[in-house]
């Protein structure tokens, strides 16, 4: 089945096919930096994802040699009389809801980091559920290089995942982290050789599109929610999720397929 977005976009490419929604940041001349227009188009595409039944996975990636260089600094240049832009407003209206949406939407969000990911671009990638990067990609908390602080969730995710020492090193120096090191530090799922990247990404999203959607969604909810719960609360949540999944058709199909030694056909129910 091929469902194309019925809206036309200027700054992104968007397509839903065979249960896979593909959203490509498409401002390669600016390393896919975010303008207001791009935020609005990404938001509209995510609305489409959530309104398209049977979408099983969302893939984010970038066109050209970069993934995303964060905020477009062309939108922030000022003539001498211009008042400063209120960056808090920009974050409240655009970056914060985007991170909240990516982390909370029930379907899995895969980020294919095809090149440099800087500023909010790095932290948008790190907010995705599974991050796969080309070996030549770099992750840069470049905010400090222009006099800002890491945003888009960077100061939350980095210390939790890589520890305070590395989080502070990254956020205070604005230094570049290779994809291999990001993988070794547990920031991303995989770093793969550039010539295997596209094939690996396709295999991953195809696998997720065929996976039992309710179980995948439950895994996302449980793992993402664990930071705010005690072990006892988490054990209760696992019980409740498992109880629900135990009544699902996909579980019945999974067990039947295992016993019949055949590939299961999951329907997300
Ligand atoms: O403002 C708010 O709303 C608050 C929220 C802020 C969130 C943020 O993301 S703040 C951080 C903003 N981003 C940056 O500071 C990153 C700036 N870019 C870079 O540091 C470097 O470009 C990279 C390290 C990402 C890549 O370096 P390199 O050498 O591979 O490429 P380049 O030559 O610097 O960039 C290529 C082109 O992309 C270049 O254009 P040109 O000269 O060929 O016409 C460059 O200007 C453009 N570009 C890169 N980043 C941005 C950009 N254009 C606009 N905005 C950018 N962020």
């Amino acid at each position: 089945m091929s469902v194309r977005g019925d809206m036309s976009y200027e700054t992104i490419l968007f397509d839903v096919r065979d249960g896979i929604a593909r959203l490509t940041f498409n401002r390669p001349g600016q390393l896919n930096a975010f303008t207001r227009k791009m935020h609005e188009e990404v938001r509209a595409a995510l609305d489409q994802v959530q309104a398209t039944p049977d979408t099983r996975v969302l893939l984010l990636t970038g066109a050209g040699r970069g993934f995303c260089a964060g905020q477009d600094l062309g939108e922030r240049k000022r003539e001498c009389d211009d008042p400063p832009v209120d960056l808090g407003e920009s974050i409240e209206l655009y970056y914060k809801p985007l991170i909240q949406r990516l982390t909370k939407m029930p379907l899995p969000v895969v980020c294919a980091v095809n090149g440099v990911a800087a500023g909010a671009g790095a932290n948008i990638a790190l907010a995705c559920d599974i991050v796969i990067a080309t070996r030549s990609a770099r992750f840069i908390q470049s905010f400090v290089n222009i006099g800002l602080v890491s945003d888009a969730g960077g100061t939350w995710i980095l210390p939790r995942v890589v520890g305070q020492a590395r989080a502070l090193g990254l956020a205070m120096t604005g230094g570049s982290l290779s994809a291999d090191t990001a993988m070794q530090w547990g920031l991303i799922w995989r770093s793969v050789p550039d010539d295997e990247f596209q094939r690996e990404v396709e295999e991953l999203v195809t696998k997720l599109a065929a996976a039992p959607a309710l179980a995948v969604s439950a895994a996302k909810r449980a793992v993402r929610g664990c930071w705010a719960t005690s072990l006892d609360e988490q054990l209760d949540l696992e019980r409740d999720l498992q109880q629900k999944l135990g009544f699902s058709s996909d579980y019945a199909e999974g067990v039947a397929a295992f016993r019949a030694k055949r590939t299961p056909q999951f329907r997300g129910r």
Side-chain angles (χ1 to χ4, degrees):
M1 182 180 61
S2 176
V3 180
R4 225 159 234 293
D6 52 4
M7 295 171 70
S8 62
Y9 295 111
E10 283 172 27
T11 64
I12 61 170
L13 304 172
F14 180 67
D15 175 58
V16 186
R17 210 173 346 116
D18 300 328
I20 304 168
R22 296 163 193 271
L23 196 170
T24 305
F25 303 141
N26 190 28
R27 304 185 67 240
Q30 293 76 32
L31 299 179
N32 304 315
F34 266 83
T35 55
R36 183 184 289 245
K37 174 91 181 164
M38 188 160 126
H39 274 295
E40 282 161 2
E41 294 195 338
V42 167
R43 182 173 293 173
L46 295 182
D47 289 344
Q48 276 187 271
V49 170
Q50 295 197 285
T52 308
D54 297 332
T55 307
R56 296 278 186 257
V57 54
L58 168 63
L59 172 65
L60 290 189
T61 193
R65 74 173 175 90
F67 168 68
C68 176
Q71 171 63 39
D72 187 299
L73 298 178
E75 268 193 354
R76 296 290 177 260
K77 70 172 185 275
R78 292 165 60 196
E79 304 305 329
C80 43
D81 290 344
D82 292 347
V85 175
D86 182 342
L87 302 189
E89 188 177 282
S90 160
I91 288 172
E92 185 65 26
L93 286 179
Y94 297 113
Y95 290 101
K96 183 176 131 185
L98 175 58
I99 299 300
Q100 288 173 324
R101 199 157 184 194
L102 294 173
T103 52
K104 286 182 185 157
M105 62 201 302
L107 51 68
V109 182
V110 171
C111 187
V113 182
N114 53 300
V116 65
N123 294 336
I124 288 166
L126 298 179
C128 296
D129 300 318
I130 301 185
V131 187
I132 180 167
T134 52
R135 193 153 285 164
S136 61
R138 295 170 287 153
F139 295 81
I140 310 176
Q141 295 294 314
S142 55
F143 308 84
V144 71
N145 300 336
I146 56 166
L148 295 181
V149 63
S150 294
D151 62 22
T155 62
W156 189 90
I157 188 81
L158 288 171
R160 281 172 172 75
V161 176
V162 303
Q164 178 169 295
R166 286 168 170 169
L168 284 172
L170 291 170
M172 288 179 157
T173 68
S176 180
L177 195 67
S178 71
D180 278 350
T181 306
M183 179 174 69
Q184 283 154 17
W185 288 6
L187 262 183
I188 66 169
W189 165 244
R190 290 202 61 196
S191 158
V192 296
D194 292 21
D195 57 355
E196 294 170 24
F197 177 66
Q198 286 306 337
R199 183 180 53 75
E200 293 253 2
V201 169
E202 285 310 308
E203 277 178 17
L204 177 61
V205 292
T206 304
K207 186 179 168 74
L208 286 168
L214 297 175
V216 171
S217 181
K220 175 166 178 169
R221 183 176 155 200
V223 172
R224 285 206 171 272
C226 82
W227 300 107
T229 63
S230 66
L231 175 60
D232 286 346
E233 289 165 331
Q234 194 71 7
L235 289 168
D236 286 349
L237 175 69
E238 289 175 359
R239 176 203 58 214
D240 294 345
L241 291 171
Q242 207 71 298
Q243 181 178 47
K244 220 168 150 190
L245 292 171
F247 294 122
S248 69
S249 321
D250 279 352
Y251 172 59
E253 167 64 4
V255 174
F258 175 79
R259 292 180 59 80
K261 298 188 188 302
R262 63 172 172 78
T263 306
Q265 299 294 321
F266 295 118
R267 295 158 156 239
R269 289 194 277 269

